[in-house]
Amino acid sequence: MADTAAQSLLHDVRLPLLVGRDRELAALRTALAATLAGRGSLVLIGGEAGIGKTVLAKVLLAEGVECGALALVGQCYDLSETPPYGPWVELFEQLAVEPDGPSLPAPLGINSPASDGMALFARARDALVAVRRPIAVFLDDLQWADAASLELLRYLTRRGASLPVLFLATYRASELTRRHPLYGLLPLLVRESDALRIPLRPLDLRSVTRLVADRYPLPEIDAARLVAYLDRRAEGNPFFIGELLHALEEGGLLLPSDEVGGAWELGDLARARLPSLVRQVIDGRAARLGEEVRDLLAVAAILGQVVPLGLWAALAEVEEEALLPVVEAAFDARLIEVADDGASVRFVHALVREALYEGIAPTRRRAWHQRAGEVQAAIAQPDPDVAAYHFQRAGDARAVMWLAHAGSRARALYAPQSAVDHFTRALELARQFRVAPSLSMYRERGLAHETLGEFDPAQANQEAALALARSMGDRKAEWQATLDLGQ
Ligand SMILES: Nc1ncnc2c1ncn2[C@@H]1O[C@H](COP(=O)(O)OP(=O)(O)OP(=O)(O)O)[C@@H](O)[C@H]1O
Ligand SMILES: [Mg+2]
């Protein structure tokens, strides 16, 4: 099955001919060759949205598979933060279905939990060692990874870990704020694991010329006009270039000519009148599908990159069948694709979802998020991170409770840093919304700090819990807090 996943990666993804990435590919191939010879490493591919990070990593992964490596993929999704170990859970699922696949403890697998976080990490490492052939691990969009996932990456790639694994990870450099867990981790990763950093730059004029020549057999003068047009507008961003070409084709300005021999022709680009932002180009494409389809796609964009049809229908308050023509139209317009299980769809690119999302008026967006939070809260097993995300975006006080749930879950899943962050955010919001914080938020945050070996904040939190218990006159909680403090 892991091989099947790799196969679909090779065949479904329609990998394009990469232009302007020869140097980067050479460096990646060197790292791959070393991995095939038993010496793994970590390569970090950074750059702006749409610059070509994912496709570059996938091209290398496909080459790795051809050379006999096992490809494992873990994706992070834009939900301000993925649930604890989200990408690794996805990745190890691909191993679990191998004939003699590992039986990993929760949350990485379905077995009973490990004794502590370190034991969990060691089991993850053992699972990779047990594969007994080179592995190419690909973690996409680390800017959306949770802190625990990053810690596991750090553990597995530390110098001396010496696994025959090539770890490829991508991230949007521009989205790393100082508060982001990856921001502080990047220099550590480079230091501790000798990671190779590959910053991707915009395509130069020569590369854009090659890209155009590869896709459209145009007369020389037309090709030059098109390249100049793309260069002016897309500033070397391959995603934007692709969107512009698509819009020109759709608008009938770039089309196969009547001549035999497969030639193409280019119309008067002054007539193109395409907007200057990639967001507007995508929004225009959705708008051409009609108001109803566009609105439903906007609702889907609220839910995230992967959209379960059931949730989408519930949020839009329509029958699931009513979504099928929308799915078909959006599929034809290359905005979404249907997931293998048929029960969900996904936007073809994170930037497509972001464009549709940005197109929703802020007040409507808040209202949709509020409903999405309620829909999530009402399902059989709500995901606390998802509910917390929507209620936060909605500016709804229920975010406090869901953040606390997410914090408890993170603690139970050996993700103490995420737990601390969640409780901290919950307490901040409680103050903002003037709702009373619960005692357990301090208590659990204190215990998470304790797990991290941060004893001063651990003590401060237990003292806050004790003070709160006293002020509430809750003798049992007071007793518990006294025990936690070891007094
Ligand atoms: N060097 C290249 N040559 C040709 N096409 C490219 C190149 N790089 C990227 N593309 C195309 O541009 C689009 C965007 O690439 P990709 O999805 O890899 O960007 P990304 O950096 O991963 O973006 P994001 O940060 O949003 O995930 C894809 O359709 C891809 O096929
Ligand atoms: Mg990407």
Side-chain angles (χ1 to χ4, degrees), residues 16-19 21 49-55 141 172 238-239 349:
L17 170 89
L18 286 192
V19 298
R21 299 290 184 235
I51 202 71
K53 304 177 291 295
T54 302
V55 75
D141 289 320
R172 285 187 186 170
F239 179 83
H349 200 280

Side-chain angles (χ1 to χ4, degrees), residues 206-419:
R206 245 187 58 213
S207 306
V208 180
T209 309
R210 243 192 96 200
L211 187 148
V212 166
D214 176 56
R215 294 194 196 170
Y216 305 98
L218 285 165
E220 208 172 310
I221 188 155
D222 282 353
R225 267 198 308 130
L226 183 55
V227 168
Y229 177 85
L230 295 172
D231 190 54
R232 230 177 15 251
R233 298 197 143 227
E235 294 177 338
N237 183 299
F239 179 83
F240 198 0
I241 291 175
E243 285 301 310
L244 289 172
L245 288 169
H246 188 79
L248 291 174
E249 278 188 52
E250 234 184 28
L253 284 164
L254 180 59
L255 69 175
S257 71
D258 294 333
E259 283 172 39
V260 280
W264 282 58
E265 59 188 45
L266 183 69
D268 177 7
L269 290 175
R271 277 187 25 236
R273 295 226 181 79
L274 285 176
S276 56
L277 295 175
V278 68
R279 175 176 92 59
Q280 296 161 329
V281 176
I282 296 169
D283 212 27
R285 179 132 53 97
R288 277 193 290 283
L289 301 178
E291 207 171 314
E292 198 192 334
V293 174
R294 185 225 203 150
D295 283 353
L296 283 166
L297 286 174
V299 172
I302 294 280
L303 287 169
Q305 181 70 14
V306 178
V307 187
L309 287 173
L311 278 186
W312 185 10
L315 182 57
E317 295 179 305
V318 297
E319 293 295 320
E320 242 180 89
E321 287 81 73
L323 292 176
L324 298 182
V326 178
V327 170
E328 268 170 36
F331 176 81
D332 289 342
R334 281 195 262 160
L335 292 168
I336 60 173
E337 53 200 18
V338 181
D340 294 340
D341 62 3
S344 49
V345 296
R346 79 170 90 78
F347 289 97
V348 292
H349 200 280
L351 283 168
V352 169
R353 184 192 84 81
E354 283 159 29
L356 292 170
Y357 183 84
E358 297 291 323
I360 311 171
T363 44
R364 280 193 75 200
R365 222 188 273 163
R366 281 166 79 104
W368 282 120
H369 275 301
Q370 187 168 50
R371 245 199 78 61
E374 285 162 359
V375 167
Q376 180 64 224
I379 64 175
Q381 285 182 314
D383 183 322
D385 276 289
V386 175
Y389 163 76
H390 287 303
F391 284 130
Q392 280 189 87
R393 288 277 162 120
D396 187 305
R398 281 170 285 185
V400 175
M401 180 187 86
W402 286 103
L403 275 166
H405 285 324
S408 301
R409 174 171 77 165
R411 211 165 71 77
L413 297 181
Y414 310 114
Q417 186 58 54
S418 297

Side-chain angles (χ1 to χ4, degrees), residues 127-141:
L128 293 176
V129 171
V131 171
R132 295 188 196 292
R133 61 172 161 139
I135 306 177
V137 157
F138 173 33
L139 295 170
D140 202 11
D141 289 320

